Amino acid sequence: MSNATPVTPAFGWAAQSATTPLAPHRFEHRGVGAGDVQIEILFCGVCHSDLHQARNEWGGSIYPMVPGHEIVGRVASVGASVQRFAKGDLVGVGCMVGSCRTCGSCAEGHEQYCEGGTVFTYNSRYPDGAPTWGGYANTIVVAEDFVLKVPAGIDPARAAPLLCAGVTTWSPLRHWEIGAGHKVGIVGLGGLGHMGVKFAKAFGAHVTLFTTSPGKVADAKALGADEVVITRDPDWMKPLARRFDFILDTVSAEHDLNAYLGALKSDGAMVLVGLPENPPTIYPGLLVSRRRTLAGSMIGGIKETQEMLDFCGQHGIGADIETIAIDQINAAYERMLKSDVKYRFVIDLATLAPSGS
Ligand code: NAP
Ligand code: ZN
Ligand code: ZN
C-alpha cells in the first residue's frame, strides 16, 4: 500500500490560455490534511478580477486556471485537528487560502499584505509550488484559518459576493472611518460598487454614485445612493468641486481620475480598488494644492472579513445577484465587459454536471 497522501479529485471550468473560453476541466486538490476543511461548493460569485486574470491582463497568469474567489459551500469533511468547523456547516472562502502567518502584516490580521507572500485562492502557488484552484468547481480544500463562517440570515447565493466584493469595499470604508456626516462618492455600479453603496449608506454617510450607465440611476437609489451623477457629460464635475470627504473608485477600465481628485475637499481621500490593465495619468497639483490623498486598498484580512459577514447577517445585507449556470460563464464575462451586470453574477454549482462537463 502506498503511503502517499491521497489527493482530492475535483472538476470545474478552467481557462487553458489567455485567449480560450472557459471549459470543463478535471484537476486535483491536495488530500484533506489535519488542519484542512474540504468544502462542497454551492455558489461562486463572478468577480471582474476573474476575467482580468483568465485573460492575463495583469500578466503572469498560471494555466490551466479555475477562477473564482467568492465561494460559499457546505463543509464536506474536516481534518483531525480542525476545531471551528464540522461537516454540514455553511462556510465561505474569499481571495486568500494561505499566508506566512508570522510577519507583521499577518500578526495584525492583514494577511492580504503578507510580507512572505499571500497565497491567493487561484492563479497562485503554495510555498511548495502546488497551484491553487478557485471556486468555479465542485470542491475546494482550504486550511481552517482561511475559512469563514457564513451567518444565518443571508441567502447563501447572495452571501457569496461578500467574500470579495463585500470585503474589498468594507475594508477601506472602515479604515478611513467613514460614518455619519461624511460625503462619500462611489465610482462605478458593478459588483464592488453596489456593495460600496450599501456599506457607505449603512455606516451613515451621504452617498453619491458616479456611473457611466444612465440605466442604473433608479437601482443606485434603491441600493442606498442619495445622489447619482452620470459621468458621460464632460462637465459633470463642475458643480462638484471640493465636495467629498472620501471617494472609492471601483472601475475596472481606464478612465480619468483627475476629475474625482478635484471633487475631494482639502484632506479628502480617494481610494482605488479597481485594477485596470494600464496606468492612469495623475496631475500632482490636484493632490498638492489641497493635501489630498490618493491611496489603494486590496481585499481585507480574515478577521475583518468575518466581521463584515457578521454585520451583514445582523443587518440582512447581501449582494444583488443574477444566478447563472456554469455554462453561461463565458457569456457573463462578455456582459461584464459591457457593464451589463446587476449587480453580481453568481454561479450555481448544482449546474456542474458530475461528469465534469
Ligand atoms: P464590474 O462588476 O465589472 O464593475 C465595474 C464597473 O465599472 C462597471 O459596472 C461600470 O459601472 C464601471 N466601468 C466599466 N468600464 C468603465 C469605463 N470605461 N469608464 C468608467 N466606468 C466604467 O467589476 P467588479 O467585479 O466590481 O471589479 C471592479 C474592479 O475592481 C476590477 O478591476 C477588479 O479587478 C477590481 N477588484 C479589486 C479588488 C481589490 O482588492 N482591490 C478586489 C476585487 C476586484 P457603471 O456602469 O456604473 O459606470
Ligand atoms: Zn474579486
Ligand atoms: Zn505574513
Side-chain angles (χ1 to χ4, degrees), residues 85-274:
F85 299 99
K87 189 172 165 121
D89 287 356
L90 190 66
V91 295
V93 178
C95 302
M96 302 180 286
V97 291
S99 71
C100 85
R101 305 173 197 209
T102 55
C103 73
S105 295
C106 285
E108 288 172 2
H110 303 308
E111 299 89 352
Q112 75 276 32
Y113 304 127
C114 174
E115 319 286 337
T118 308
V119 182
F120 294 98
T121 303
Y122 67 88
N123 192 26
S124 186
R125 291 189 190 279
Y126 284 103
D128 68 0
T132 58
W133 305 98
Y136 298 3
N138 66 328
T139 191
I140 190 167
V141 176
V142 181
E144 174 182 24
D145 294 351
F146 289 85
V147 179
L148 287 306
K149 291 176 191 285
V150 175
I154 322 175
D155 174 74
R158 297 184 66 208
L162 301 176
L163 276 306
C164 175
V167 74
T168 301
T169 49
W170 169 279
S171 182
L173 289 167
R174 280 300 200 218
H175 183 75
W176 270 268
E177 299 180 346
I178 296 308
H182 288 134
K183 280 199 179 293
V184 169
I186 306 285
V187 190
L189 196 66
L192 268 57
H194 95 288
M195 290 310 308
V197 169
K198 288 187 188 215
F199 286 143
K201 189 67 186 173
F203 300 160
H206 181 277
V207 183
T208 300
L209 185 267
F210 296 96
T211 181
T212 60
S213 303
K216 294 182 181 175
V217 172
D219 284 349
K221 292 198 169 156
L223 289 162
D226 298 287
E227 295 177 52
V228 181
V229 176
I230 297 168
T231 54
R232 284 191 180 178
D233 169 4
D235 290 331
W236 65 264
M237 69 293 287
K238 284 201 173 147
L240 298 178
R242 303 185 296 283
R243 276 266 302 270
F244 292 88
D245 298 286
F246 183 85
I247 297 178
L248 184 64
D249 188 328
T250 76
V251 173
S252 52
E254 282 80 51
H255 61 294
D256 178 31
L257 302 185
N258 296 294
Y260 296 102
L261 292 174
L264 289 173
K265 293 176 183 169
S266 295
D267 287 323
M270 170 146 164
V271 176
L272 308 179
V273 288

